[in-house]
């Protein structure tokens, strides 16, 4: 009886973890699109800076003030040699995501982001000469095909937004590759990741944001009619972006690898549906089919990766690739995993 109750609680906890992850992710994406489209605040660098600042304050509060998470110590030298390069790539990734949201619908942007597994595999093969099982390559076929179909049939296609989202995938993949070498030996959870990277990202992005968007932001502040409610929405998006990182930490420790992969792809479908209900961007039938094919390919890719990770310890791997450990049994580096959200 007790075992049955424990099993039921485990299922309920996993479900709650997934639902709150979906809620924060979809809310952050939709709020960012609302800021750019409805509030006419067309400054993606500034929005990214607000997110970084809120996340840095939030991580400091959780670790130093509330002491909900222990601080993972990092040598001062490693902060510049390891954390700073990661923060730079991470910063580019977040900015490109916000730029793409300014010009293309959420549904299209989310579908393109699903291209990340393909770019990760390709870069690892190209840069590290890493060999992959044929099933990995096969799983990329529906991903690439779905992206092509979605792009060709997108009714609100914008080249700048498309390129920003595509290069954002490359930035995410680069971050994944760098993490395996630069962060080897550090088992960062999502909160410690934000604690170390958000201040660097703010420092990196602050000057370009002021130079490129400062005058526009000042003009918007002087001419916008509903200033207080709009600023509340902008800063709330930053707070929710930090909460998203906290939810990632919770969902990793509450679900299995297979559940996490399936939930990650369903999350994209939920984001597409919710954004369509709010913004009513036109979606053709073939466009929806392309999105579905991409998500099926991503699910298959995650399943194959999980199967290969369960191989015996004697399986061959590249010299710089750390041993595979089941995702549910270790603290991964959430912000560099190709199935996690690049939101801070």
């Amino acid at each position: 009886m007790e075992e049955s109750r424990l099993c039921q609680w485990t299922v309920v906890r996993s479900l709650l973890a997934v639902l709150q992850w979906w809620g924060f992710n979809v809310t952050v994406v939709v709020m960012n699109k609302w800021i750019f489209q409805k509030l006419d605040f067309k400054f993606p660098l500034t929005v990214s800076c607000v997110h970084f600042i809120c996340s840095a304050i939030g991580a400091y509060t959780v670790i130093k003030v509330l002491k909900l998470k222990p601080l993972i110590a990092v040598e001062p030298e490693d902060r510049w040699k390891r954390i700073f390069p990661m923060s730079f790539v991470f910063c580019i990734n977040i900015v490109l995501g916000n730029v793409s949201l300014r010009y293309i619908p959420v549904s299209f942007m989310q579908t393109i982001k699903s291209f990340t597994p393909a770019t990760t595999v390709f870069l690892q093969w190209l840069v590290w000469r890493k060999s992959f099982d044929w099933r990995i390559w096969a799983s990329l076929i529906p991903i690439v095909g779905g992206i092509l179909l979605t792009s060709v049939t997108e009714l609100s296609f914008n080249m700048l937004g498309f390129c920003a989202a595509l290069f954002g995938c490359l930035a995410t993949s680069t971050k994944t590759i760098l993490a395996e070498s630069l962060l080897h030996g550090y088992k960062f959870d999502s909160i410690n990741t934000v604690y170390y990277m958000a201040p660097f990202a703010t420092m990196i992005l602050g000057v370009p944001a002021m130079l490129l968007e400062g005058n526009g932001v000042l003009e918007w502040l002087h001419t916008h009619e509903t200033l207080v409610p709009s600023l509340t929405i902008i800063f709330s998006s930053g707070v929710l972006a930090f909460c998203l990182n906290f939810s990632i930490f919770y969902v990793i420790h509450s679900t299995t690898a297979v559940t996490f992969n399936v939930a990650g792809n369903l999350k994209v479908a939920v984001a597409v549906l919710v954004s369509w209900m709010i913004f009513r961007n036109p979606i053709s039938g073939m466009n929806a089919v392309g999105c579905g094919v991409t998500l099926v390919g991503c699910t298959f890719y995650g399943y194959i990766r999980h199967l290969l990770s369960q191989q015996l310890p004697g399986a061959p791997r590249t010299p710089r690739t750390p041993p595979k450990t089941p995702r549910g049994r270790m603290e991964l580096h959430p912000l560099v995993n190709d199935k996690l959200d690049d939101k801070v």
Side-chain angles (χ1 to χ4, degrees):
M1 189 71 174
E2 186 175 344
E3 291 183 0
S4 176
R5 289 181 178 176
L6 181 61
C7 182
Q8 290 177 354
W9 166 242
T10 302
V11 172
V12 171
R13 188 180 67 172
S14 299
L15 181 60
L16 291 176
V18 169
L19 289 177
Q20 54 90 32
W21 177 37
W22 284 3
F24 282 124
N25 178 266
V26 174
T27 303
V28 169
V29 173
V30 170
M31 283 187 71
N32 284 351
K33 184 64 178 178
W34 186 277
I35 289 169
F36 295 132
Q37 183 171 319
K38 301 296 185 179
L39 301 185
D40 200 34
F41 191 82
K42 303 184 183 300
F43 310 105
L45 299 184
T46 304
V47 171
S48 300
C49 261
V50 170
H51 286 193
F52 290 140
I53 293 171
C54 291
S55 295
I57 295 173
Y60 181 87
T61 302
V62 168
I63 293 176
K64 291 289 190 178
V65 180
L66 301 179
K67 300 186 184 300
L68 298 178
K69 278 295 297 177
L71 177 65
I72 297 176
V74 176
E75 296 294 332
E77 184 179 358
D78 283 344
R79 295 187 186 187
W80 289 99
K81 287 187 176 181
R82 299 190 182 193
I83 305 297
F84 183 80
M86 285 293 304
S87 302
F88 184 79
V89 179
F90 176 61
C91 183
I92 293 175
N93 181 39
I94 298 298
V95 170
L96 289 174
N98 283 331
V99 169
S100 66
L101 272 179
R102 176 183 171 182
Y103 292 102
I104 60 178
V106 173
S107 56
F108 190 29
M109 180 264 195
Q110 288 284 301
T111 306
I112 297 175
K113 290 292 288 182
S114 299
F115 192 57
T116 302
T119 56
T120 303
V121 169
F122 177 75
L123 285 179
Q124 286 182 319
W125 171 77
L126 183 66
V127 176
W128 281 2
R129 300 298 180 184
K130 181 178 178 180
S131 59
F132 291 92
D133 187 276
W134 68 270
R135 289 170 292 181
I136 290 290
W137 292 107
S139 69
L140 299 182
I141 296 176
I143 297 178
V144 175
I147 292 294
L148 290 175
L149 181 60
T150 304
S151 302
V152 170
T153 58
E154 174 58 45
L155 299 177
S156 304
F157 184 86
N158 178 279
M159 182 57 71
L160 180 57
F162 172 76
C163 290
L166 191 60
F167 281 107
C169 292
L170 291 173
T172 302
S173 301
T174 303
K175 186 154 51 67
T176 301
I177 296 173
L178 287 176
E180 291 189 352
S181 56
L182 292 179
L183 299 183
H184 182 65
Y186 290 106
K187 292 183 179 179
F188 281 157
D189 55 74
S190 57
I191 306 303
N192 275 275
T193 300
V194 174
Y195 179 85
Y196 284 109
M197 287 192 181
F200 274 134
T202 305
M203 180 178 65
I204 294 169
L205 192 58
V207 174
M210 287 189 292
L211 293 178
L212 297 176
E213 298 180 349
N215 292 333
V217 172
L218 291 176
E219 183 179 352
W220 181 87
L221 290 172
H222 283 94
T223 58
H224 196 69
E225 296 179 357
T226 56
L227 189 59
V228 174
S230 298
L231 288 177
T232 301
I233 292 175
I234 293 172
F235 281 96
S236 295
S237 71
V239 174
L240 289 174
F242 168 73
C243 293
L244 172 58
N245 286 280
F246 203 87
S247 73
I248 290 172
F249 169 77
Y250 180 49
V251 78
I252 285 176
H253 288 271
S254 303
T255 60
T256 64
V258 175
T259 302
F260 182 81
N261 175 55
V262 174
N265 292 304
L266 289 177
K267 173 180 61 64
V268 177
V270 172
V272 170
L273 178 61
V274 172
S275 67
W276 177 81
M277 292 174 63
I278 294 176
F279 299 104
R280 294 292 178 177
N281 56 287
I283 301 177
S284 66
M286 291 304 295
N287 188 268
V289 170
C291 180
V293 170
T294 301
L295 296 182
V296 169
C298 289
T299 304
F300 181 50
Y301 166 82
Y303 177 68
I304 295 300
R305 262 185 43 168
H306 174 69
L307 288 181
L308 296 176
S309 72
Q310 303 302 309
Q311 288 181 350
L312 294 176
R317 58 178 183 267
T318 55
R320 287 191 287 178
T321 304
K324 294 287 185 180
T325 306
R327 190 175 291 177
R329 298 182 182 276
M330 70 177 290
E331 284 192 313
L332 290 176
H333 188 291
L335 298 182
V336 298
N337 186 279
D338 58 22
K339 281 307 301 167
L340 285 163
D341 311 273
D342 298 298
K343 295 287 185 296
V344 162

